[in-house]
Amino acid sequence: VPAGGAAADVSYDNESSELTADTVQEAIDENAAAIKSLNSSIHKIDQDLFVSAQTSYFYTGLSVTIPANSYFVLTARCAWGNSRPVWVGIASDSGIDTSQYAEGIGELATVSCTYSGFVDEETTFYIWGKWSATGNNEVVAKGFYIAGS
């Protein structure tokens, strides 16, 4: 290939790449389109809520709904506002539920836990918390999901 040659003029062997391209330029374009498609299916989760904290386990009012056929990573965090957080959980129910998917226990300024996986149907996850004393405190949900077709 002569110096300064155009990528459209350089042949490309697509046998092992699973691309359909026959030239380097077509391979670049095909990869760029795949990346753009992937980027459009990634959705950010970024929610927060100030709650009147309780000293017993309670549903904080914060929930995250993941659409059907999606991979996801969800992190829940309870933070110290007026009182120290002692527990956080991600559950499948907003009622009293002992079947937490993930939980975090701690003695620091924040307590967090992470749950990840795949859902084949639309699923809502509920963030639960518990603080050392009552008061106004923050609960946060962060992460992302990749929506499938």
Side-chain angles (χ1 to χ4, degrees):
V1 177
D9 298 331
V10 179
S11 64
Y12 173 77
D13 182 359
N14 62 16
E15 194 169 311
S16 64
S17 69
E18 297 186 21
L19 296 175
T20 59
D22 293 320
T23 68
V24 170
Q25 185 62 55
E26 289 172 352
I28 292 168
D29 294 344
E30 196 171 332
N31 278 306
I35 291 168
K36 183 177 181 181
S37 174
L38 178 60
N39 284 339
S40 69
S41 65
I42 297 175
H43 303 274
K44 181 178 177 181
I45 299 168
D46 187 6
Q47 299 180 26
D48 63 0
L49 181 67
F50 282 88
V51 298
S52 179
Q54 300 176 23
T55 57
S56 60
Y57 301 103
F58 75 103
Y59 166 53
T60 63
L62 187 61
S63 64
V64 174
T65 300
I66 307 295
N69 301 313
S70 296
Y71 290 94
F72 69 93
V73 175
L74 174 60
T75 296
R77 178 175 56 87
C78 290
W80 194 324
N82 297 116
S83 60
R84 179 179 49 82
V86 295
W87 182 87
V88 63
I90 299 171
S92 62
D93 195 338
S94 64
I96 295 175
D97 185 359
T98 56
S99 63
Q100 306 296 323
Y101 287 113
E103 66 179 342
I105 302 169
E107 296 288 328
L108 303 172
T110 64
V111 177
S112 65
C113 66
T114 300
Y115 182 58
S116 61
F118 176 81
V119 294
D120 56 3
E121 60 186 42
E122 182 177 278
T123 304
T124 300
F125 295 104
Y126 301 88
I127 311 304
W128 283 63
K130 180 181 178 182
W131 278 262
S132 62
T134 59
N136 193 32
N137 294 290
E138 184 180 27
V139 61
V140 176
K142 294 198 179 279
F144 67 91
Y145 64 90
I146 300 172
S149 53

